[in-house]
Amino acid sequence: MKFSYFPGCTLKAEAGRSGETAISAAGALGVEVTELDQWQCCGAVYPLARDEIATKLSAVRALIDAKRAGLPLLTLCSACHHVIKRVNRDMAEDSDVRDRVNSYVAPEVPYGGETKVVHFLEMLRDHVGFDSVAKRVTAPLAGQRVAAYYGCMLLRPSSAMGFDDPENPSIMEGLIAAIGAEPVLYPQRNECCGGYLAIENKGAAKRRASEVVRSAAEHGADCIATTCPLCLYNLTENGAAGTMPVYDLTALLANALGLHVEPSSGCAAVCSVCSERNSAHAC
Amino acid sequence: MRVDNDDILRSSGTDVRKCMKCGKCSGACPSFDEMDFPPHIFVSMVERGDAAALLSSKSLWTCMSCFACVERCPRGVEPANVIEAVRASAMSPQGANRMRPEDVPVFLGAAGECLVPQQLLASAFRKYSR
Amino acid sequence: MPVESAFQPKIAAFCCNWCSYAGADLAGSSRLSYPADVKIIRVPCSCRVNPLFILRAFQRGADGVIICGCHPGDCHYTSGNYFARRRAALLFSMLDYLGVESGRTRVEWVSAAEGQKFAATMNDFAKTVASLGKCRRIGDLRCRTSES
Amino acid sequence: MTKIGVFVCWCGSNIAATVDVDAVSEAIKAAPGVVFATNYQYMCSEGGQAAIRSAVAEHGLTGVVVCSCSPRMHEATFRKAAAGAGVNPYMVEIANIREQCSWIHKDKAEATAKAIALARAAVAKLNLDRPLTAPETPVTKRALVIGGGIAGIQTALDVADAGYEVDVVEKSPTIGGKMAMLDKTFPTLDCAACILTPKMVDAAAHEKITLYTYSEVEKVSGFVGNFTVDIKKRARSVSVDRCTGCGVCSEKCPSKRAKSEFDQGLRERSAIYIPFAQAIPNVPVIDRDTCLKFQTGKCGLCEKVCPSHAVDYSQEDEVITKQYGAIVAATGFKPIGLERFDEYAYSRSPDVVTSLEFERLCNAAGPTKGHLVRPSDGKEPKTVVFVQCVGSREASGIGAMKGKPYCSKICCMYTAKHAMLLREKYPDSEAYVFYIDVRTPGKNFDEFYRRAAEEYGVHYIKGMVGKVCDEGNGRLTVRASDLIENRQLLIDADMVVLAAAVEPDPSARALATLLTASMDTNDFFTEAHPKLRPVESPTAGVFLSGMCQGPKDIPDTVAQAGAAAAKVIGLLSKDRLVGNPCVASCDETLCNGCSACERVCPYGAISYETKTVVDRGAKDERRVASVNEALCQGCGACTVTCPSGAMDLRGFTGRQIMAEVDAICR
């Protein structure tokens, strides 16, 4: 299994190691991941204005590079995934956007949405298989009650993302079960963490993130796991305030696979203690 | 400030006339309490051609683009797109950006490293300026 | 009726039995006049109108052809008028291309209750056709009778 | 060569004042085929008809043109007169010189010229007319009703009361349908079982009605008046004749883990079961998928305990074939599945229920014996939120639609009923109804809804629920908008009731194919005319009763069921059906077998068969179109669609219409 990989700015910068963690976990599962030679920021937010072209260009460049490599494009960050997948859909279905972007980017062959955009979780579920993941787990997280946090961007709008049931998703719970932990279902798992409001209106972001953490706690979660760096930040900094550990799910995976991930610095809390099967392990 | 309602309709790419005024968007919105004009009123006012009144709305800056309204709308109206279109209009005059490059350094550490996820800065910058 | 010009167009009107023909009857019983140049051919449904009939009419020297059927959704046979509409759209654009001006062809929905509309439609259509003059484009010389 | 007589009517002065009738009858004599022409004061009078008769006798006429009023007025009169004189009635053409000429023109010369032109067109057409015979077919005096809910039962009773035999085919083990599941009915709040079960008993006891429960229609052939239908009677594994309905088998059955269909899965049932106490027939059926005997071979307990030796594991499905004159579709509805509406936490929380589940929870014969409690913990609910329009009135946006585009029509009323029932059972409870619009057209309907708000204190809130959170501690948090007060509400609820949209029963789609009855995009059966023929399918002899045609409440369903019965009775009361001879026919030597005509036919009257065709002396095996003349209604859609010109319409052939065109363009 081979994939082109779009890391995105966040996973290259402060949460850098979490990107590497995910890639090494993929390697351990027999997936070969090649980072795109050159890539630019995905644009961070999908431009909702239909006539907006400029902010879609860098996503298209990444898609074209993946098409040249003849590989599906793997993404890890929810925002990158959201932007690239939706831009790809525009390129496939909206002839107006397609024509304008192609005339601007001028690739050797016009791009029409041919690249398949795959999120890391989808890769695990559909290409590796959660059963195979479970078989390779050497340090299962037994006894851990893990609340998956999806946030918004992976799931919505479901018609564009086609990722999972937008109101009752199961993909993260599938992975949590595969690495030996017990998934916790709670109603706030697909409600917003506060997103970029954290810059503009910290109070509002705090209220939102705290609501997510409260809901997870009330349903008996020991910790929250997510794959989105922004959610990770908001839940950790604005929601949990030390009351509930929030992890990058791929780091939990890496630990379960016995890769002994080092704790990440700053906001991106990555657990290293899980391999010791210790349930109380605030980083 | 002047705003062209038709521009907003076009750039939102959604048909606000399909709205049946059920209010599910505002029933789903997690940011409702932070808003002066909730999503259903955005749609309604744009539909009747009164987008200008929304340009100074607090809601422009408290919508989190979480797409709960888009996902749950039974009529396929995309309220978040309408809000975004008005937000873009509100920022189109010179100097109307909500976030400026000089606002960024407070989020940087001594060595220029980012104190928040880079994605957060990038998204906020994209949403709050143009 | 005062004859304003020597030219009197020949107009064939295909009317479906259930709506438009009844609408024409209502126009008659309401004594609503329209030019004698309009002559009606009764068909069970507007979808019975074969494009060949229309071509034949122009070949034989008609100056205008109108198809009248039930309003969309009201077809006695549920869907015939939709077929008629699609066929007419194609044929009329081809005729226009051949030089038979689009004003010479028309599809109109007239219900059994619309005597007024029937007469108004025929008056308007006849006026349009008259203003376009004689249709010579696809008329067949061999089909001309001596009087024309 | 047709010998044509032309008769010009004066219609008193209606025609004669504007049209020079003498000139017309004189001019038309020159038209090809015309051997006689005259004019008369009133052609439709006995004198006029006598003139036709004597002219036929005198001139040996084989065709008649009457220049008179609209054929819509007197075509039938003149056809009858011609037939009386020995002329084929379809060799009669009418030139409409009154409505289309004398009444709308003032200039006599102009009107006369037009009348002559119209007469010529009629003559030109008549020259190409061929004698036609209206087909006659006998009528099988028995009706088939498909579906045994209130719609099917009512139609069957009405038809049977008129003295005709009726068979009812019902796919589930009992008749009764959805109405049997209901607790109370709006707007009177009388008990559904009290008014339905007597009708079920009547149907079972009626000497003219035969019930085939646990049965399905497998094949339909034939046409109006003469349908042949295969009915598959699925094996009950219990002899209907021997069983006394004592219920010992169900009691002793060790396999009790199947979800009760009748109780909407809120209760478990045994593998051998009677759906509900008043089921008809009151005979159990073995669900072979959950029966230990059928699954493992071990058990056989029911056979042992049955006092009347009615259990029979060896029973097999049986197909019977019967003849019917008319078929009524009464296949009913079901609530849509709510898998894609998990913002309401339906699949997460047992205390989020559909309205039909709520109905069972209120019903004295239901899983809780009418004690309205939460399915999760059996506690009485104090706060209940009702959500209307769940999946109704939707439109597609950037993605596919999750629900249905139509209003389900019954939800506003039953929700008001449910809220009232709740408040009646628990006066200290709170009922919130979230609505988009409250739609209550119907006798005493709006009054009923207002009573819910005014007398029962139900909180009606204009707004919609955006999310239901199962808080995990037995509480549900409902987040919703209140549009009147422009606020967002968070309601701490014990139960949430979802008014799921209705959709046609899934079995209807396959049935429509069997019946060649058309359906709309939502799989509701299409009526022959939306206003004037609301209970007839466009396919002759097939009628529609109840929800299968569109959302309906019980009063509407019963009314439509009666209307469908009246149509059936009207059909069965005839000994023979006289058809329309002006139907499509296929020239097999021209047909290229493309199937284009089959696709446009709204009546399913065209089928294809491979047969030997003799074309210019040569025999050839070809796939050619064949028109069922009993089904064809004569619209002519196929004739124009046919690329090879093989299809033609009798009475309106291509050549005839061309001849008319030629005549008027002369």
Side-chain angles (χ1 to χ4, degrees), chain C residues 15-33:
Chain C
C15 292
C16 84
N17 186 42
W18 305 97
C19 288
S20 310
Y21 196 90
D25 279 354
L26 181 59
S29 51
S30 315
R31 312 297 198 275
L32 301 167
S33 72

Side-chain angles (χ1 to χ4, degrees), chain D residues 288-372:
Chain D
R288 294 185 173 184
D289 293 339
T290 57
C291 171
L292 295 175
K293 175 74 180 173
F294 281 98
Q295 293 304 312
T296 66
K298 296 179 200 117
C299 188
L301 199 59
C302 50
E303 188 182 28
K304 288 191 198 92
V305 299
C306 178
S308 47
H309 307 291
V311 175
D312 176 5
Y313 301 123
S314 67
Q315 252 189 26
E316 283 178 9
D317 293 354
E318 183 192 347
V319 175
I320 58 168
T321 303
K322 289 185 84 167
Q323 314 288 324
Y324 300 98
I327 298 177
V328 182
T331 45
F333 77 105
K334 71 179 222 356
I336 62 167
L338 295 180
E339 308 78 32
R340 298 185 63 197
F341 292 89
D342 262 328
E343 64 265 38
Y344 302 121
Y346 178 71
S347 54
R348 293 285 317 126
S349 169
D351 298 331
V352 179
V353 298
T354 66
S355 298
L356 196 51
E357 289 164 10
F358 189 81
E359 201 78 53
R360 294 309 300 152
L361 291 171
C362 291
N363 193 304
T368 56
K369 311 248 181 301
H371 184 200
L372 174 58

Side-chain angles (χ1 to χ4, degrees), chain A residues 7-57:
Chain A
C9 60
T10 311
L11 295 179
K12 270 289 169 187
E14 63 272 16
R17 251 172 285 175
S18 92
E20 285 162 28
T21 304
I23 300 314
S24 56
L29 292 166
V31 179
E32 197 180 311
V33 172
T34 316
E35 188 174 322
L36 292 175
D37 267 351
Q38 289 182 319
W39 53 266
Q40 300 156 297
C41 170
C42 67
V45 290
Y46 172 77
L48 295 177
R50 237 190 117 249
D51 44 5
E52 186 73 43
I53 293 297
T55 40
K56 292 179 179 168
L57 295 178

Side-chain angles (χ1 to χ4, degrees), chain C residues 25 34 42 48 56 87, chain D residues 70 75 105 641 652 662 665:
Chain C
D25 279 354
Y34 53 87
R42 182 164 71 127
R48 178 65 187 96
R56 174 81 155 212
R87 285 172 189 147
Chain D
S70 171
E75 187 173 56
H105 304 312
T641 303
F652 292 95
D662 291 358
C665 292

